[in-house]
């Protein structure tokens, strides 16, 4: 960054979108729509450049910025810190890049809300970047609320439609309640330590055995994060929100917002609680919740025919895998999750935009109603490529993250988790592949009409002002960029030695709690890291990716061509599946009950599991 100091990049990554949002809101009163589009997209591009340069700088050591120059003295501070390492700066860069693509796709969107829509998207970006980069727990809450408030408004953007209003309301109520629980946990920590900074609280808790108050404070503090991450059983809001949110908004929510919840969980535990709350208890609890989340997401995904809900449940299933990767609590596990998130974001974002194209052209995203109508143009092949990437096909992006996570699980003495990664990739990738083959190529048997309920009725309304007869170049360009980005994450990192070593170093830096505290509290130099384990393809990783892709093809084939007799016998499982579907009722009271049950279950798990030496 020749004209921007490294320490200025983090504040600018938050400030630029906020200023641009204000300009877009004011300019929309007199400026033509294309100018507002260019302003918003340009601001997101500048932010992507800033965060990308910040990521590169962070590979040489954390970039620590004390706003207002209020740096600490002797480990004590009153200022607010932004601490960028390769993982959180990379997440901010990912959020900025996805926002660029979402805004590019939106050039033909929401004419009636021009300016307001752009301002909300840019404020959403500012909230995500601030949430990722801040080193202060209270500021995490503030940016969490900014991110949430704009996401609620964007989800319910078409407020005149009952389903849009319901999806946005469920999203707002559940996540707001979870945020209030997190605020209570923050208050408990402040009462115990008198500090709000992550490093300061971590130093105050370090070396002391965790009592019940610390464990409860940990659980409450992370409830908002794991709810945002859609960890089961706090996940119910996600599919309802994705079903009604505009496709570009789904790109941001599914591609990076929910992943930021996993990041926050990892950051808060590693920096604040890892020296107090036993690692063994955290590992066992979150592996269990990760497996549960992956299982629920898989079953709901493969039994969906509404494309946006199918993709949303696929995201829930992959969040389960990300939680498992975190729960390993090793640098290699963090590296695997980071690479997985990068590949998943591009692929899943492209799938949501392709669903948006189908909706705007055919006024439906129902797999049965779209049978054979998608055609064999570019969207068809992009959809099928994305499905194969989601299944873990080497050397594409999600496949490398999956392989690295499996290797990390094996190194941690948990090789059986590789089967979970393979099965989740196979089922979710197979469900998406099945939908693509049926919608675009007309393969398989026709689905009968679906009986609409209050959750799905009326969702299929075009998101453009007029129905599309052809795909606008800007929309197709956004899809292509996302697919290429998701694919390149695995090809570049897995095959270029320098990038493989950099990815491995990112995981080590993230796990280095002592280095974080030393730089933030005492202004010390970056600690030299041990030689990184390069994040490259291995023979076992390639084999695992091939197996999961073949299994995904089998899942798709069984769904498309299962003989009628076998389909009749398979209906014996229907009551269990229907029971799981009924739990996703759309009633906010049910979702609140599951949120509280999940928080209580997590607290009981951490208090009941045998304690080991803090790790």
């Amino acid at each position: 960054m020749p004209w921007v100091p490294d320490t200025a990049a983090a504040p600018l990554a938050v400030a630029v979108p906020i200023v641009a949002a204000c300009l877009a809101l004011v300019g929309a009163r007199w400026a033509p729509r294309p100018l507002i589009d260019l302003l918003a997209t340009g601001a997101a591009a500048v932010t992507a450049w800033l965060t990308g340069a910040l990521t590169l700088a962070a590979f040489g050591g954390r970039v620590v910025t004390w706003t207002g120059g209020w740096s600490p003295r002797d480990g004590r501070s009153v200022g607010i810190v932004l601490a960028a390492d390769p993982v959180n700066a990379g997440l901010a860069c990912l959020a900025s890049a996805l926002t660029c693509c979402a805004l590019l796709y939106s050039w033909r969107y929401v004419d009636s809300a021009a300016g307001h829509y752009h301002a909300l998207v840019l404020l959403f970006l500012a909230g995500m970047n601030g949430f990722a980069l801040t080193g202060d727990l209270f500021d995490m809450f503030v940016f969490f609320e900014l991110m949430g408030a704009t996401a609620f408004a964007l989800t319910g953007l078409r407020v005149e439609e009952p389903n849009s209003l319901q999806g946005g309301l469920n999203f707002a109520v559940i996540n707001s309640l979870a945020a209030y629980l997190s605020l209570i946990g923050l208050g408990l920590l402040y009462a115990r330590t008198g500090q709000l900074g992550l490093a300061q609280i971590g130093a105050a808790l370090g070396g002391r055995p965790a009592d019940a108050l610390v464990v409860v404070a940990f659980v409450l503090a992370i409830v908002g994060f794991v709810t945002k991450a859609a960890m089961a059983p706090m996940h119910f809001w996600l599919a309802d929100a994705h079903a009604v949110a505009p496709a570009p908004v789904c790109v941001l929510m599914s591609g990076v917002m929910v992943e930021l919840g996993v990041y926050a969980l990892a950051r808060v535990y590693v920096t604040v609680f890892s020296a107090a709350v036993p690692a063994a208890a955290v590992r066992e609890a979150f592996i269990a919740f990760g497996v549960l989340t992956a299982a629920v997401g898989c079953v709901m995904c493969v039994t969906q025919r509404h494309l946006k809900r199918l993709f949303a449940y696929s995201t829930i299933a992959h969040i389960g895998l990300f939680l498992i990767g975190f729960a390993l609590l090793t640098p290699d596990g963090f590296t695997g999750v980071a690479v997985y998130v990068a590949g998943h974001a591009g692929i899943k974002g492209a799938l949501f935009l392709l669903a948006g194209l189908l909706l705007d052209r055919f006024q439906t995203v129902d797999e049965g109603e779209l049978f054979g109508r998608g055609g064999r143009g570019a969207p068809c092949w992009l959809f099928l490529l994305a499905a194969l990437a989601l299944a873990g096909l080497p050397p594409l992006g999600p496949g490398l993250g999956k392989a690295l996570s499996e290797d990390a699980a094996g190194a941690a003495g948990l090789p059986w988790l590789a089967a979970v990664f393979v099965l989740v990739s196979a089922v979710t990738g197979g469900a998406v592949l099945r939908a693509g083959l049926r919608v675009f190529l007309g393969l398989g048997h026709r689905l009968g009409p679906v009986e609409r309920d209050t959750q799905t009725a009326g969702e299929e309304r075009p998101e453009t002002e007029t129905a599309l007869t052809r795909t606008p170049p800007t929309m197709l360009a956004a899809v292509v960029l996302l697919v290429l980005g998701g694919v390149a994450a695995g090809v570049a990192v897995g095959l270029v030695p320098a990038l493989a070593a950099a990815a491995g170093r990112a995981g080590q830096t993230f796990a280095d709690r002592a280095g974080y505290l030393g730089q933030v509290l005492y202004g010390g130099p970056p600690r030299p890291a041990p030689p990184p384990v390069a994040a490259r393809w291995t023979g076992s990783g390639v084999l695992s990716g091939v197996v999961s892709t073949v299994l995904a093809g089998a899942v798709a084939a069984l769904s498309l061509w299962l003989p009628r007799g076998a389909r009749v016998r398979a209906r014996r499982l229907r009551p269990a599946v229907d029971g799981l579907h009924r739990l996703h009722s759309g009633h906010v009271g049910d979702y609140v009950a599951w949120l509280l049950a999940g928080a209580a279950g997590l607290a009981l798990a951490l208090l009941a599991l045998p304690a080991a030496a803090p790790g």
Side-chain angles (χ1 to χ4, degrees):
M1 289 181 291
W3 52 275
V4 176
D6 291 346
T7 53
L12 286 173
V14 180
V16 168
I18 292 176
V19 172
C22 296
L23 292 176
L25 201 58
V26 173
R29 297 178 179 272
W30 53 267
R33 169 65 186 270
L35 184 60
I36 303 301
D37 286 327
L38 286 172
L39 169 66
T41 309
V46 169
T47 308
W49 177 79
L50 286 167
T51 51
L54 181 64
T55 304
L56 293 177
F59 277 108
R62 293 179 188 84
V63 179
V64 178
T65 305
W66 286 93
T67 56
W70 291 90
S71 56
R73 295 184 180 179
D74 300 324
R76 299 178 180 274
S77 69
V78 295
I80 296 172
V81 66
L82 300 174
D85 59 43
V87 170
N88 64 354
L91 276 170
C93 184
L94 177 64
S96 304
L98 290 180
T99 303
C100 282
C101 292
L103 287 169
L104 178 63
Y105 184 90
S106 302
W107 283 19
R108 292 286 300 271
Y109 258 51
V110 288
D111 289 340
S112 60
H116 293 84
Y117 170 79
H118 298 82
L120 286 171
V121 170
L122 289 170
L123 290 174
F124 191 11
L125 173 60
M128 290 188 290
N129 285 350
F131 185 79
L133 296 172
T134 185
D136 184 272
L137 190 56
F138 183 76
D139 281 345
M140 287 188 83
F141 173 79
V142 172
F143 285 119
F144 182 94
E145 287 296 279
L146 175 60
M147 181 170 56
T150 50
F152 306 155
L154 287 166
T155 299
L157 190 66
R158 294 181 292 177
V159 69
E160 71 281 358
E161 299 178 14
N163 286 298
S164 180
L165 189 60
Q166 181 191 14
L169 183 63
N170 283 351
F171 184 8
V173 169
I174 299 304
N175 281 267
S176 295
L177 177 59
Y180 298 149
L181 294 175
S182 291
L183 189 60
I184 295 172
L186 191 155
L188 291 176
L189 287 172
Y190 185 70
R192 169 60 64 90
T193 66
Q195 302 290 339
L196 290 173
L198 296 177
Q200 291 89 332
I201 300 173
L205 294 179
R208 301 178 182 177
D211 54 23
L213 185 145
V214 172
V215 173
V216 171
F218 171 58
V219 172
L220 289 173
I222 66 170
V223 161
F225 305 147
V226 296
T227 301
K228 188 75 76 180
M231 182 183 84
M234 294 94 149
H235 69 284
F236 291 92
W237 63 269
L238 186 137
D240 291 353
H242 281 66
V244 298
V249 178
C250 293
V251 172
L252 301 179
M253 292 198 300
S254 206
V256 67
M257 184 191 74
V258 293
E259 288 80 0
L260 280 171
V262 179
Y263 158 78
L265 165 65
R267 172 65 76 199
V268 169
Y269 177 73
V270 169
T271 307
V272 177
F273 291 98
S274 60
V277 179
V282 172
R283 181 180 294 113
E284 292 184 31
F286 280 99
I287 285 177
F289 276 96
V291 171
L292 173 65
T293 304
V296 171
C298 278
V299 174
M300 292 298 295
C301 173
V302 79
T303 55
Q304 290 294 319
R305 52 187 287 172
H306 186 283
L307 292 184
K308 292 176 75 176
R309 286 184 179 273
L310 187 154
F311 301 153
Y313 285 116
S314 168
T315 295
I316 292 172
H318 282 86
I319 287 296
L321 300 185
F322 302 156
L323 287 168
I324 292 171
F326 150 73
L328 299 176
L329 300 178
T330 63
D332 294 347
F334 297 144
T335 298
V337 173
V339 175
Y340 209 157
V341 166
H344 175 268
I347 297 302
K348 188 59 62 66
L351 287 170
F352 273 110
L353 294 188
L354 288 166
L357 290 177
L358 292 170
L359 176 59
D360 295 330
R361 185 175 178 185
F362 301 110
Q363 291 77 57
T364 182
V365 287
D366 180 80
E367 188 179 331
E369 295 174 1
L370 288 169
F371 183 84
R373 298 170 67 186
R376 296 172 183 251
C380 167
W381 309 116
L382 290 169
F383 195 105
L384 297 180
L385 177 61
L388 294 174
L390 203 64
L393 178 67
L396 310 183
L400 177 60
K402 166 182 163 295
L404 295 173
S405 299
E406 291 168 354
D407 291 343
L414 299 166
W416 62 271
L417 287 173
V420 177
F421 281 84
V422 169
L423 288 174
V424 170
S425 300
V427 172
T428 57
V432 175
L433 183 61
R434 175 205 75 202
L437 294 173
R438 182 172 275 144
V439 168
F440 291 98
L441 301 182
L443 300 181
H445 59 272
R446 284 182 177 270
L447 297 176
V450 64
E451 188 174 321
R452 304 281 175 171
D453 59 22
T454 57
Q455 276 187 274
T456 58
E459 286 174 2
E460 294 78 26
R461 295 188 182 182
E463 297 172 345
T464 50
E465 298 297 324
T466 58
L468 298 179
T469 57
R470 52 183 289 275
T471 303
T474 51
M475 289 185 169
L476 187 60
V479 177
V480 171
L481 287 173
L482 288 172
V483 172
L484 291 178
V487 167
V491 176
V493 174
L495 301 180
V496 178
L499 293 177
R505 193 177 303 114
Q508 290 178 332
T509 302
F510 188 87
D512 181 15
R513 175 180 180 272
Y516 185 98
L517 268 59
Q519 277 190 261
V520 171
L521 292 181
Y522 300 101
R527 296 203 317 168
V533 177
R536 61 168 61 98
W537 284 102
T538 61
S540 60
V542 172
L543 178 61
S544 171
V546 171
V547 169
S548 63
T549 305
V550 171
L551 290 176
V555 170
L558 286 173
S559 301
L560 292 171
W561 293 293
L562 192 67
R564 187 176 185 84
R567 293 203 301 272
V568 171
R569 288 191 293 273
R571 288 174 187 166
R572 297 172 184 172
L573 300 174
R574 191 74 189 184
V577 175
D578 286 344
L580 183 59
H581 277 257
R582 281 194 295 272
L583 292 179
H584 298 74
S585 61
H587 297 297
V588 69
D590 295 344
Y591 295 178
V592 168
W594 280 110
L595 166 64
L596 298 177
L602 180 58
L604 289 174
L606 291 174
L607 289 169
L609 286 170

